[in-house]
Amino acid sequence: MTGWSCLVTGGGGFLGQRIVHLLVEEKELQEIRVLDKVFRPKVREEFSKLQNKTKLTVLEGDILDEQCLKRACQGISVVIHTASIINVTDITYSEAIINVNVKGTKLLLEACVQASVPIFIHTSSIEVAGPNSYKEIIQNGHEEQHHENTWNFPYPYSKKLAEKAVLAANGWTLKNGGTLYTCALRPMYIYGEGSPFLFDIMNKALKNNGILEDTGKLSIANPVYVGNVAWAHILTLRALRDPKKAPSVQGQFYYISDDTPHQSYDNLNYTLSREWGLSLDSRMSLPLSLKYWIAFLLEIVSFLLSPIYKYQPPFNRHLVTLSNSVFTFTYKKAQRDLGYEPLFSWEEAKQKTTEWIGSLVEQHKETLKTKTQ
């Protein structure tokens, strides 16, 4: 199969950029199209440097714009769909989250059928599987266990519906008579340099005398480095293009983790930032059951106020559960079917992320210096 092309939606984002950087190394790839709503100037500059290896076309457009999607998919061999609104705190803008994550995915699948795109890889989420209760313990979970999120909060609910739509589309007949083959990847919590979540956490800590806020002392998670998630997408693409491997991958979903130690979210934040003098909050936390019921009351207040005012609670039951659960998964199925092995070790991932956090600390110092002059 020679002379193929790939569309990456959400390609200007944290994960999308990494996928594009790895794609340029792929053999016989003629064109990469990168679709996103907005591209920051720095991202455009990065992509222009990659033009020497493969034709790279930057497309600004909305995932809900059918005409835009039709144009983007024309002549494409593979779609990697990373575009989504990632929001685990906001319950007031549920319509936007459902629209982009669910309707946008369905529109893209339809555009693939019309443009006869044979391969569709979907970036799903660990939240499709749960956790549903902080009392439930799942360690080294796997695909055969059929874990399913039961929350109706916008983000996990939207990712569950989107993934179902993608896997249900496996085997659809394309306009040219061919067949659409789909696959979904469920990464754990993704960290790494450029992470919007880590950026917010570190900025809040720097404004709070270097004290990291409590994001989940009781959790045990297995975070995954962004470079390894991007690598899993490349291996999925290769598997789906390989006639021997493809039948075992089509219509499947895979948990994507790596060799990052299983730890609490608080411990991860501290490990990545302690070199720069940041420290954990030593104050006593509220009992978990009390925090859960406070979250429930805040959600009720938000609902009652919704006709006249959009009140976004600082946390909700889903976030409390997510941040305080023992919830880890193995990547053995991806290893077996995709040949997945982490591209970056924990030590490499930690070093790269720590260096980036160091640059944020330096920026903060410069800002403070400018203000005092």
Side-chain angles (χ1 to χ4, degrees):
M1 292 172 73
T2 59
W4 60 288
S5 53
C6 183
L7 168 68
V8 182
T9 71
F14 172 47
L15 173 61
Q17 287 180 59
R18 294 306 189 98
I19 293 171
V20 172
H21 275 266
L22 289 177
L23 270 175
V24 294
E25 305 295 334
E26 290 299 287
K27 291 175 184 174
E28 295 162 352
L29 178 56
Q30 290 182 336
E31 184 187 6
I32 303 167
R33 281 184 210 158
V34 190
L35 175 69
D36 215 320
K37 202 164 186 180
V38 180
F39 289 89
R40 298 191 310 276
K42 193 178 177 183
V43 175
R44 283 183 176 274
E45 194 183 319
E46 279 291 309
F47 284 165
S48 67
K49 291 175 189 171
L50 300 176
Q51 285 285 7
N52 302 335
K53 298 187 177 183
T54 307
K55 184 185 176 188
L56 202 154
T57 309
V58 172
L59 303 171
E60 281 200 351
D62 196 316
I63 199 77
L64 297 171
D65 181 341
E66 290 180 57
Q67 293 308 314
C68 168
L69 295 183
K70 281 178 185 173
R71 287 192 299 272
C73 289
Q74 213 57 49
I76 288 290
S77 319
V78 178
V79 165
I80 299 178
H81 178 42
T82 77
S84 107
I85 295 178
I86 303 171
N87 193 321
V88 294
T89 57
D90 198 344
I91 56 173
T92 58
Y93 293 99
S94 58
E95 193 179 346
I97 295 169
I98 299 287
N99 268 342
V100 169
N101 296 359
V102 184
K103 189 181 174 186
T105 300
K106 289 179 177 177
L107 288 174
L108 187 59
L109 285 165
E110 287 164 19
C112 286
V113 170
Q114 292 305 311
S116 299
V117 179
I119 294 171
F120 189 106
I121 299 163
H122 175 62
T123 309
S124 188
S125 166
I126 182 59
E127 289 193 53
V128 169
N132 295 317
S133 166
Y134 59 80
K135 293 173 184 174
E136 184 182 19
I137 292 174
I138 294 166
Q139 288 181 294
N140 292 316
H142 52 82
E143 288 80 353
E144 283 71 35
Q145 289 172 333
H146 306 293
H147 297 290
E148 185 172 322
N149 203 318
T150 55
W151 292 107
N152 62 356
F153 284 90
Y155 180 69
Y157 181 64
S158 71
K159 292 303 282 187
K160 181 171 81 171
L161 292 182
E163 187 193 277
K164 280 189 173 176
V166 169
L167 297 182
N170 185 64
W172 279 5
T173 302
L174 302 172
K175 196 174 181 181
N176 67 357
T179 308
L180 175 67
Y181 294 115
T182 68
C183 181
L185 303 183
R186 295 181 181 178
M188 307 298 114
Y189 166 74
I190 307 174
Y191 72 95
E193 59 277 27
S195 159
F197 287 110
L198 271 179
F199 181 83
D200 286 346
I201 288 162
M202 296 306 153
N203 266 346
K204 279 181 188 173
L206 291 168
K207 289 171 185 173
N208 188 32
N209 300 316
I211 298 168
L212 294 156
E213 68 177 355
D214 178 1
T215 55
K217 287 189 177 83
L218 303 173
S219 57
I220 297 178
N222 55 329
V224 60
Y225 179 61
V226 63
N228 291 327
V229 180
W231 179 233
H233 283 74
I234 301 299
L235 292 174
T236 307
L237 178 158
R238 288 179 186 173
L240 285 168
R241 294 189 72 243
D242 182 335
K244 289 178 185 173
K245 287 185 178 179
S248 62
V249 179
Q250 294 158 359
Q252 298 293 308
F253 70 87
Y254 295 89
Y255 293 114
I256 305 299
S257 54
D258 59 17
D259 300 328
T260 300
H262 293 201
Q263 59 195 300
S264 70
Y265 293 110
D266 275 10
N267 191 56
L268 175 72
N269 295 336
Y270 176 59
T271 302
L272 297 172
S273 64
R274 64 185 172 197
E275 189 179 315
W276 310 109
L278 276 70
S279 59
L280 288 168
D281 193 340
S282 57
R283 290 176 302 176
M284 286 282 287
S285 302
L286 287 173
L288 192 50
S289 55
L290 178 59
K291 196 169 183 181
Y292 186 88
W293 287 108
I294 290 170
F296 184 47
L297 290 172
L298 290 172
E299 287 166 38
I300 291 170
V301 170
S302 178
F303 174 74
L304 294 174
L305 288 174
S306 60
I308 52 167
Y309 178 70
K310 283 193 182 294
Y311 167 63
Q312 186 187 333
F315 55 91
N316 54 49
R317 286 171 298 153
H318 167 235
L319 187 60
V320 170
T321 302
L322 191 65
S323 307
N324 293 282
S325 292
V326 177
F327 201 65
T328 66
F329 287 81
T330 174
Y331 61 80
K332 280 184 180 171
K333 186 184 175 186
Q335 195 175 34
R336 185 191 73 207
D337 292 0
L338 308 173
Y340 169 73
E341 293 288 347
L343 194 60
F344 299 90
S345 68
W346 159 237
E347 287 305 319
E348 287 174 299
K350 182 169 67 171
Q351 185 186 346
K352 287 172 182 289
T353 312
T354 299
E355 285 173 4
W356 172 70
I357 289 170
S359 72
L360 298 181
V361 173
E362 287 305 311
Q363 281 173 30
H364 181 72
K365 284 179 182 173
E366 286 298 317
T367 306
L368 288 179
K369 201 186 288 182
T370 307
K371 283 181 180 176
T372 55
Q373 280 173 358

